[in-house]
Amino acid sequence: MSSTPPPPRFRRRLLAVMLLAGLVPLVLLGVVAQGVLERVLSVSVAPVEAVLDGVSSSLERQGLSRDALDEARLNLAQAELTRRALARRVPAFITGLVFVSGCVLALAAVLLGRTLTKPVTTLTEGMWAYARGDLSVRLPTVDPPRDELQFLLGQFNRMGQELVAQRERAKSAEQIAAWQDVARALAHELKNPLTAMKLSLARLSRSDPASPADATRISESVALLQEEVELLMRMTQSFSTFARLPAPHFQDVPLRPLLSEVCSLYARTSAVPVELVPGPEVSLRADPDGLRRLFGNLVKNATEASLEGAPPVRVRAEPLATGGVRVTVADGGSGVPGVLEGAALTRGLFSTKPEGSGLGLPISQKITHEHGGQLRLEPAPGGGTLASVELPLVPPPPQVSTS
């Protein structure tokens, strides 16, 4: 790829074409006008003078006055002098007129050329920035566009936004793939040793105690170890589940019945009510099992973060003007410290619950990514957490894995 932007040849060529298209007809028109005027002014009054001489002789023989005839001869002489002066000045006049018209045409061509090539120059600069990898460049546009070039600039900006979104999705996909590799490795390395530890502790708990005091101490220790082993087993299972998440099977899904099902499921064990806010029905092309897992994770996190007496967990679904749908889950818990989206949702394992594995958000982010959507967590107004999921009505085509 060239390291320098292209020279502004388009503007020069456009200016040359406009000048040629205007000056050539103007010069030809000047030549034709000069020829016509010269031909008209070449008509001589000599035949008229001969006729006047004959009339003058006839009047003299008849003894009549020749004052009117002499005045006519004077007027004719003045007309002849004017004709000769015009004949001498016509070439200079036509040349000057063509020159002035050419200057005006050249100025108009320059101004019009700049007006026409400015959007092209702006578009070239934007493309050059994209070629350098700077996708943050946005070209100045007006809405609605005034012409085709303004429309092209608007489409360029939309293309840039889509490229940025694709780049973010690619980064997210790479991070998710890395987490899957980590999950497979941890599941392989930890599952077998933990199983052996669990069996050994079970044998210790069934041993015949030689002393009641020692038996009590051993049983309490075994119970504690078993509890910790169970926690590690749950974490291992979560890693295995994340690594083996099934491929999505897309179909037409009515969203509100699915959300109602999720809300009803987690309302049974929640310390606060779980409400589905009334709204319009929305259907989209999605994987229903994936959506249940996605919204189930978000509602589960919201209910577990809400203490008794806190505001209810509210789930809301609303269509977007862009043609998608947004689902929000709001709770009145302790909230998140800041906005979490994109790579921040899959960076590190974190959980505020003792029994949590920290994989709920990475799993939710993976499902959202597969649907071509965006997941965002932010502090809710008035306290708590607001989880927002934006999904298109039709998912993007699946990306071919290179791993």
Side-chain angles (χ1 to χ4, degrees), residues 247-385:
H249 298 283
F250 295 106
Q251 55 184 286
D252 293 332
V253 179
L255 187 57
R256 293 194 67 83
L258 186 144
L259 293 176
S260 177
E261 175 186 338
V262 172
C263 292
S264 299
L265 176 64
Y266 288 97
R268 301 169 186 170
T269 57
S270 174
V272 297
V274 180
E275 301 176 355
L276 177 60
V277 178
E281 179 57 68
V282 179
S283 296
L284 70 162
R285 191 80 177 170
D287 176 25
D289 293 334
L291 292 187
R292 289 188 183 93
R293 188 177 291 111
L294 165 62
F295 297 124
N297 280 339
L298 298 180
V299 173
K300 181 174 181 289
N301 289 343
T303 57
E304 292 177 347
S306 301
L307 300 177
E308 187 174 356
V313 174
R314 289 187 172 89
V315 181
R316 187 187 308 270
E318 55 186 359
L320 297 174
T322 56
V325 60
R326 178 190 292 119
V327 178
T328 58
V329 180
D331 64 63
S334 57
V336 291
V339 175
L340 297 176
E341 60 181 341
L345 296 171
T346 57
R347 189 182 298 121
L349 298 179
F350 56 91
S351 177
T352 59
K353 301 181 289 293
E355 70 278 8
S357 65
L359 284 172
L361 288 181
I363 290 175
S364 300
Q365 171 68 355
K366 180 178 186 298
I367 296 172
T368 305
H369 169 75
E370 291 174 341
H371 286 74
Q374 294 180 345
L375 172 60
R376 175 186 174 95
L377 270 66
E378 59 184 314
T385 302

Side-chain angles (χ1 to χ4, degrees), residues 94-116:
I94 294 298
T95 302
L97 182 61
V98 170
F99 177 77
V100 172
S101 301
C103 292
V104 173
L105 180 62
L107 179 61
V110 171
L111 296 178
L112 183 59
R114 288 182 178 178
T115 302
L116 292 177

Side-chain angles (χ1 to χ4, degrees), residues 44-110:
S44 177
V45 297
V48 180
E49 291 180 349
V51 173
L52 291 178
D53 288 340
V55 173
S56 177
S57 300
S58 176
L59 292 175
E60 186 178 0
R61 287 192 302 268
Q62 297 176 5
L64 301 175
S65 175
R66 296 181 299 178
D67 295 338
L69 185 61
D70 292 337
E71 185 178 356
R73 281 186 173 182
L74 180 60
N75 293 335
L76 187 62
Q78 291 177 349
E80 177 64 13
L81 292 175
T82 303
R83 182 192 69 81
R84 292 177 182 179
L86 288 176
R88 288 193 304 267
R89 296 174 181 175
V90 160
F93 175 77
I94 294 298
T95 302
L97 182 61
V98 170
F99 177 77
V100 172
S101 301
C103 292
V104 173
L105 180 62
L107 179 61
V110 171

